[in-house]
Amino acid sequence: MTDDDKALRLALAERLAAGGYLRTAPWRAAVEEVPRHEFLRGGFFERADGPGPTAWRPVLPDDPRWLARCYDDDSLVTQIAGTIVPRDIRGEIMRAPTSSRTLPSLVVRMLEDLQVEDGHRVQEIGTGYSTGLLCARLGDSLVTSMEVDAGVSASANIALGACGYFPELVVGDGLAGHPGGAPYDRTIATCGVTDLPYAWVEQTRPGGLILATLCGWLHSSELARLTVAEDGTARGTFLGGQISFMLARPQLPPPLDNLPAFDNGEERTAVLAPDVLDDWSTRFVAQIAAPRAQRISLDRDGRTEHVLLDADAGAWAVLTQDGDTWTVRQGGPERLWDAVEDHVTRWKADGAPPLERFEVTVTPEGQVITWSKV
Ligand SMILES: C[S@@+](CC[C@H](N)C(=O)[O-])C[C@H]1O[C@@H](n2cnc3c(N)ncnc32)[C@H](O)[C@@H]1O
């Protein structure tokens, strides 16, 4: 560590405190202590400006901007397409990011929301800078971190070692948790999930907390905090803030490579137009109704078709506009737009309660999300 990076750490802590993300002294001390650049020794990708699909360009530690950029309040992409790291690329690449160093303001907001106390044992899903902060705050012997990607875990291991931290690192699917270290006082996920795994409830002690971002394939998501009850269930609410995260790998949506013809469906006048899905909260409600649906738009015969498609089940809904009227054509084993209209209409009739008034319950049978009337 050098005076340069110490000054950068202090400045980052100051910025996060001024922004209201860093709220307590022990977490501030952790941000001041942990060198984020150790977790970015392999470089990162930055977005290349230009028209068309997003392209990514590597920034390596020999770039004069690298050190300062490591302490920006920015999410920095560290892996693309499941395997490609910055050193693999010269020029630009146009594929989807698969691992990143999370936005520092989001990491510390989540760590504050985790409400840890001295002596707490924490299970974390997604290993990296956040693991370093947990070690600084609690002591590395109380931290277990799971990472699905062996390469990401190995480089985080080197970075943590350089900081003097040796937590238990497990390579594997964090959705199964790590029962060997249970019970935990806290479980935190730094990747998004579509369904909160019951394993986390089983492995967190009664009275303990689970913090994770509930995401969906329509791209609306919310941070949830649940308390584990004595009866082996967990219940909680959303904390607000429109947080988004990379999805846990086993819960990524299937690729949309073989689109059905969208013919021979049942047709009716739609009650709701597809632009209801442009609103974050409405989209979240729609996701509850059609959790396996993905949204695409197609230009066919000179007009735009707005499509919801559940690729695994083969269910689809296509919305097209005729003047002021929308028509929906639906096919497959489920009527996706019927389900969306039913949920959204009931939610609006209940006063369109904000997502903070929703409740999430996880039992051995699965996850249920409900809302209460305004
Ligand atoms: C946004 S990154 C956060 C990394 C880290 N917490 C940090 O602060 O730098 C999300 C991480 O979750 C990991 N991940 C995705 N699915 C996972 C799973 N099922 N189990 C464990 N880790 C997973 C990804 O490989 C990725 O490294």
Side-chain angles (χ1 to χ4, degrees), residues 24 26-27 30 33-34 116-119 132-139 165:
T24 57
W27 283 120
E33 182 176 317
V34 179
V116 296
E117 289 166 23
D118 291 347
L133 294 174
L134 282 164
C135 291
R137 168 68 182 84
L138 296 166
Y165 306 136

Side-chain angles (χ1 to χ4, degrees), residues 260-268 300 305 314 316-318 328-333 335:
F262 303 127
D263 293 330
N264 302 323
E266 277 170 23
E267 209 166 89
R268 65 170 173 82
R300 290 208 299 186
E305 298 189 329
W316 52 267
V318 176
V328 60
R329 196 167 68 253
Q330 303 184 82
R335 296 292 171 261

